[in-house]
Amino acid sequence: MYGIMGMVGLALRTELTTQQREFLEMASSSADALLRIVNDILDFSKIEAHKFELDHAPFKLRESLGDTLKLLSGQVHDKALELIFRVDPATPDNLIGDSGRLNQIIINLLNNAIKFTSKGEIVLQVKQESSMNDRVCLLISVSDTGIGIPPEKQQLIFDAFAQIDASSTRQFGGTGLGLSISSRLVELMGGRIWLESEVGKGSTFFFTVCFDLHTNYEPDTAPAPFIDVKGLPVLVVDDNPINLRVFDEILHHWGMIPTLVDNGEAAIKALQAKSEAGQTFSLILLDAMMPTMDGFMVAQLIRADHRIKPTTVMMLSSADRPDDFERCRKLGIDLYVRKPVKHSELWSAIQSALGKAAASTDHKVVADLQPCQALKILLAEDNPVNRHMAVVLLEERGHTVDVANDGQEVLDLLARADFDLILMDIQMPIMDGFQATKAIREKELGTDNHIRIIAMTAHALKGDKERCLAAGMDGYIAKPVKEEELLRTVENCRGIEEKKNPVESTPESETIAPLLNWQEALDRVRGRQKLLFKMIELFQEQAPTLISEINEALLKQDADQLRRSAHTLKSSANSIGAFAMAEIAEMLELNGQHADFIEADKNYSVLYKANNDLEPVIQRYLADSKEIE
C-alpha cells in the first residue's frame, strides 16, 4: 500500500494532462481510504485475538488533544463548522498512558461528528470524573448538531461493521469499524462508552478512560511572562456560549479580567462605556464569524469610533477564507488566529499581540519629544530599505536629509555643503564608514571644525563603542534602528550646540539591541511557538557548521565560499530573530563579494563572539518559554 501511495504521489508531481491528474488524484484518494480500512481491520484483529497492548508513557493532556484537533481543522473549516475544545481547569495535565490510542478514539468520534453534521458546532469536552491515589479517570464527550441517531440504532453502531445507514444509496461512507474499535479501546483503558442522541438535533458520545498521574515529572514553573498579563482587562466577543465559557476559564487562570459579550453591538457598547469611564480594554478577542455583525464589521466600527481609545485587537476565526488576513491588515487588527486554538497557542498569540502594542508605545514617547532645532543631516546608508525608513522618520520631525550611498559620496557632499551631523553606516561599498570618518577627521586637523558623526552599526556588541570612538566617531546607534533611539541620539541638543568639541555618546544612544528578538520572530510565524522552537533548534545545529565553513574560507582565502556560507548564516539568523548576528553575517557576505579578507578577519572575530553570546540567550529563552497550560 505504501508503495502504491508513494508512486502515485511521485506521479502527481510530474507534468500531467488534466484527465491524467484527475485519475491519479482519485487513485490517491482511494488508496488513502483503503489504507484506513486495512489499519482498522488490523487493529480490530489484534483486539479480537487479545494481542493488543497499550503504551505506558508520560504525556500532556491539553497539548496532545490540541494537536489532534489541529489535524481535523481542515475538514471542519471546509464545512464551515465550529470546533470547540474545553478542558475543565481542575483536570490534571501530566498523565501516563497511551495518548496515541486516546487520540485514535477521539479522532474516530470527531470524524463521525464532522461527517454527520452539516451546520452548527462540534464540541470536545474533558473533565476529571474521579481520582484515587496516583490514578485519575477522565470523562470525555464529543457532541455535534448533526442528523442524530434513531434509538433502535444507538447500541447497534458499536458492533463491528455496523452503520447507521446501510442502504445501497447511503449518503455517508465508512467501514463501520471505527466505533467498534473505539469501544474496545475504551474498555482496554478501564472505561466505558455510551451516547445520547435525538434525531435531527445531534448526538453526544461519552466515554471514560483511566490514566496514571505523572507525579515524578519536573513541574512547569509558570515562566515570568514576556508581557505581564495579570490584572489586564480583556473583552471577549463570541456568539457561542461554550466558547465564551472556555475563554473565561482560561483567561481567569492566567490572572486576566475578562468581560464577555455575545454579539458585536454589545461589544461596541462595552467599549464606549469603558472609554467614557476613562478606561480601556487592554485586549479584545474578537470572533470573526458572528451573525448580523461579524468580527470585521466590529473591528471597523472600533477603529472608526474616536470615542473608543486605541486597543489591541486579536481576531479568531473558525473559517479559513483567503482574504481574511488582508482584511485584518487593512483594519489594523494586531493578530489573526485560526480556531481551534490550543492553550499554548492562545498564550503565545496574546503575548505576540500585546508585544506589538508595547512596542508601539515607543512612538508615543517619541511624539512627546520636541527637537531642539531643525537639523541638516547627511545620511550615509547603502541599504535602500534602511535609508528610506531613516529619511521618513527624520523628515517627519522637520529635519532636512541628504543621502549618500557610500563613503566617497559623503566626502563629495561635504565638499559642497555644511551639515549639522552625519549618520554613518559602517559597512558600505567603495568606501566604508570607518574610512570615510578617517578622511573627514584628517581634513579637520588644525581647524576648529568638528562635525558630529554617529555610526549606525549592526553589531551592538562589547567593543563596538570603543572601535567607533577610536575611529573618530562620537557615538553609535544599533541596527535595526528604533525610532525613539534614532531621534533621541540625533536630537541631542548638547551635542549640536557644542559640535566644535567631540561629544561622548549619551546613555540614550547606547541602547544595546537584543541578541534574540523572540517577539518579532514569533510574529513572523503568526504566534506558532512550536514552529519557532523547531527553527531555533535547527539553527543551533546549523550555525557551528556554517561558522566553521566561514573560518575555513578565510584560511583558504576562498571569497566564494565565504560569501555563500555567510549568506546562509545571515538568512538562518534572521529567521529566528538573531538580527544582530545576521547583520554581522551580512558584512561577512559583503566581504566575500569584495574579497576583503582583512576586514573579514575582524568581522569573523565579532561573529565568533556573537555566537558564543547568543547560545546562552537561546537556552534561556527556550527554558523560560515553556508553554503555559
Side-chain angles (χ1 to χ4, degrees):
M1 277 302 303
Y2 287 120
I4 293 170
M5 296 172 73
M7 291 302 103
V8 170
L10 289 175
L12 282 168
R13 293 167 60 182
T14 64
E15 289 189 16
L16 301 166
T17 66
T18 302
Q19 188 179 49
Q20 288 170 335
R21 183 166 297 280
E22 181 182 354
F23 289 163
L24 284 171
E25 285 175 347
M26 291 172 65
S28 178
S29 177
S30 298
D32 286 338
L34 182 56
L35 183 62
R36 286 195 296 271
I37 293 171
V38 170
N39 285 334
D40 281 349
I41 291 173
L42 289 174
D43 280 346
F44 184 75
S45 299
K46 287 180 182 178
I47 293 172
E48 289 293 289
H50 304 290
K51 300 292 185 182
F52 197 92
E53 294 183 0
L54 295 174
D55 286 339
H56 196 69
F59 69 98
K60 287 185 174 296
L61 177 68
R62 289 166 177 80
E63 194 69 14
S64 176
L65 296 184
D67 287 337
T68 299
L69 264 65
K70 288 291 181 184
L71 296 175
L72 301 172
S73 60
Q75 300 175 49
V76 173
H77 296 149
D78 288 343
K79 298 189 71 172
L81 300 173
E82 182 95 9
L83 180 56
I84 301 169
F85 174 39
R86 176 182 177 266
V87 180
D88 188 274
T91 305
D93 193 54
N94 294 282
L95 306 176
I96 299 176
D98 197 329
S99 61
R101 294 304 177 181
L102 171 63
N103 288 329
Q104 182 179 352
I105 298 167
I106 288 172
I107 287 174
N108 279 334
L109 296 178
L110 287 174
N111 271 328
N112 277 339
I114 295 168
K115 184 191 302 183
F116 294 109
T117 305
S118 58
K119 61 179 180 179
E121 64 191 30
I122 297 167
V123 183
L124 170 64
Q125 296 197 71
V126 183
K127 69 176 182 179
Q128 177 178 304
E129 184 186 51
S130 62
S131 177
M132 183 176 295
N133 298 326
D134 292 336
R135 193 162 175 82
V136 62
C137 290
L138 305 178
L139 173 62
I140 302 175
S141 66
V142 174
S143 59
D144 63 60
T145 54
I147 62 174
I149 303 171
E152 65 274 13
K153 297 285 183 73
Q154 290 184 12
Q155 190 55 45
L156 175 66
I157 62 172
F158 292 110
D159 295 339
F161 303 104
Q163 294 173 325
I164 298 173
D165 181 6
S167 68
S168 60
T169 59
R170 68 179 185 267
Q171 179 182 354
F172 309 101
T175 63
L177 280 175
L179 287 176
S180 179
I181 292 172
S182 296
S183 175
R184 285 159 172 75
L185 288 175
V186 167
E187 291 174 4
L188 288 172
M189 298 171 80
R192 63 189 184 96
I193 188 168
W194 71 99
L195 78 146
E196 296 174 359
S197 183
E198 187 174 347
V199 175
K201 294 187 177 179
S203 307
T204 301
F205 284 80
F206 301 89
F207 68 95
T208 58
V209 281
C210 298
F211 297 99
D212 291 335
L213 289 171
H214 191 196
T215 55
N216 295 325
Y217 74 102
E218 292 185 6
D220 288 343
T221 56
F226 305 110
I227 303 294
D228 189 4
V229 299
K230 284 186 171 57
L232 290 185
V234 183
L235 179 63
V236 183
V237 189
D238 198 311
D239 64 309
N240 188 294
I242 301 177
N243 267 337
L244 287 177
R245 181 181 177 187
V246 170
F247 285 128
D248 185 50
E249 291 174 346
I250 295 173
L251 296 175
H252 268 118
H253 177 69
W254 291 335
M256 306 174 86
I257 305 172
T259 298
L260 313 177
V261 296
D262 61 4
N263 62 79
E265 185 178 350
I268 297 298
K269 289 180 179 177
L271 285 162
Q272 290 174 345
K274 197 83 167 174
S275 185
E276 288 169 3
Q279 303 172 343
T280 186
F281 289 102
S282 299
L283 174 68
I284 302 174
L285 297 182
L286 184 56
D287 181 29
M289 308 293 292
M290 294 187 294
T292 310
M293 185 186 296
D294 68 14
F296 295 100
M297 295 172 64
V298 176
Q300 190 170 8
L301 289 172
I302 291 171
R303 297 308 189 202
D305 193 335
H306 298 297
R307 294 172 295 176
I308 298 173
K309 295 181 179 180
T311 188
T312 302
V313 180
M314 194 166 86
M315 185 74 76
L316 300 105
S317 178
S318 56
D320 192 21
R321 298 172 298 195
D323 62 337
D324 279 358
F325 188 81
E326 180 62 19
R327 292 176 71 188
C328 286
R329 187 188 66 79
K330 289 180 178 178
L331 288 169
I333 292 168
D334 299 275
L335 205 63
Y336 176 82
V337 181
R338 198 171 75 169
K339 295 179 181 179
V341 188
K342 295 191 298 181
H343 291 197
S344 58
E345 287 178 331
L346 181 62
W347 171 259
S348 295
I350 288 174
Q351 288 288 306
S352 178
L354 291 176
K356 287 183 180 180
S360 69
T361 59
D362 291 343
H363 297 281
K364 297 175 184 176
V365 173
V366 172
D368 293 335
L369 296 172
Q370 294 301 318
C372 52
Q373 65 184 87
L375 305 175
K376 189 173 181 182
I377 299 170
L378 176 54
L379 172 64
E381 171 64 75
D382 67 311
N383 185 303
V385 176
N386 294 339
R387 186 169 61 236
H388 178 74
M389 182 189 74
V391 169
V392 170
L393 294 177
L394 294 168
E395 287 185 344
E396 281 182 351
R397 299 282 286 176
H399 303 304
T400 302
V401 184
D402 284 2
V403 173
N405 294 297
D406 57 62
Q408 185 57 56
E409 288 189 18
V410 170
L411 299 182
D412 294 342
L413 285 167
L414 282 174
R416 298 196 299 265
D418 293 329
F419 294 90
D420 293 307
L421 66 94
I422 302 173
L423 286 171
M424 184 81 78
D425 183 28
I426 296 302
Q427 187 71 34
M428 294 183 292
I430 303 177
M431 180 185 289
D432 67 22
F434 288 115
Q435 293 168 328
T437 300
K438 181 180 179 182
I440 292 168
R441 295 307 185 215
E442 285 177 351
K443 287 184 180 181
E444 291 175 344
L445 287 174
T447 73
D448 292 332
N449 296 325
H450 181 93
I451 187 168
R452 189 167 175 240
I453 301 176
I454 302 298
M456 293 193 298
T457 171
H459 295 187
L461 297 171
K462 187 177 180 181
D464 286 337
K465 174 187 173 184
E466 290 76 11
R467 190 180 175 197
C468 290
L469 294 178
M473 299 178 189
D474 302 289
Y476 74 89
I477 302 172
K479 288 183 179 180
V481 174
K482 296 180 180 178
E483 180 182 2
E484 180 182 4
E485 182 187 355
L486 174 66
L487 297 183
R488 283 189 186 278
T489 305
V490 166
E491 295 169 0
N492 183 327
C493 299
R494 185 172 67 90
I496 300 301
E497 291 166 358
E498 302 174 8
K499 66 181 180 179
K500 291 187 178 181
N501 298 311
V503 178
E504 292 282 332
S505 57
T506 63
E508 289 87 356
S509 67
E510 295 177 6
T511 302
I512 302 301
L515 293 176
L516 182 66
N517 191 330
W518 69 270
Q519 184 63 64
E520 186 168 340
L522 194 60
D523 290 346
R524 291 183 179 188
V525 294
R526 295 175 63 184
R528 290 176 288 183
Q529 195 168 62
K530 270 195 170 181
L531 174 59
L532 179 58
F533 284 176
K534 182 61 178 178
M535 290 163 61
I536 289 175
E537 289 171 356
L538 291 172
F539 174 82
Q540 289 177 299
E541 295 173 7
Q542 181 192 45
T545 301
L546 291 172
I547 292 172
S548 177
E549 289 176 359
I550 291 170
N551 184 43
E552 182 182 351
L554 292 174
L555 293 174
K556 294 179 178 178
Q557 294 210 339
D558 186 337
D560 192 49
Q561 180 180 331
L562 172 61
R563 179 187 57 78
R564 288 198 311 270
S565 299
H567 177 81
T568 303
L569 182 61
K570 175 188 73 174
S571 177
S572 300
N574 270 325
S575 69
I576 68 161
F579 301 122
M581 187 171 181
E583 291 278 2
I584 304 169
E586 183 176 20
M587 288 194 291
L588 281 161
E589 181 185 5
L590 289 170
N591 295 151
Q593 288 176 2
H594 300 116
D596 185 354
F597 293 103
I598 295 175
E599 192 65 25
D601 280 329
K602 299 176 185 176
N603 288 327
Y604 175 75
S605 299
V606 179
L607 176 71
Y608 189 84
K609 184 179 185 306
N611 184 60
N612 289 339
D613 291 343
L614 179 63
E615 181 60 27
V617 175
I618 286 177
Q619 295 299 337
R620 191 160 57 247
Y621 167 70
L622 294 175
D624 290 347
S625 300
K626 289 180 180 179
E627 294 162 346
I628 293 180
E629 300 298 337

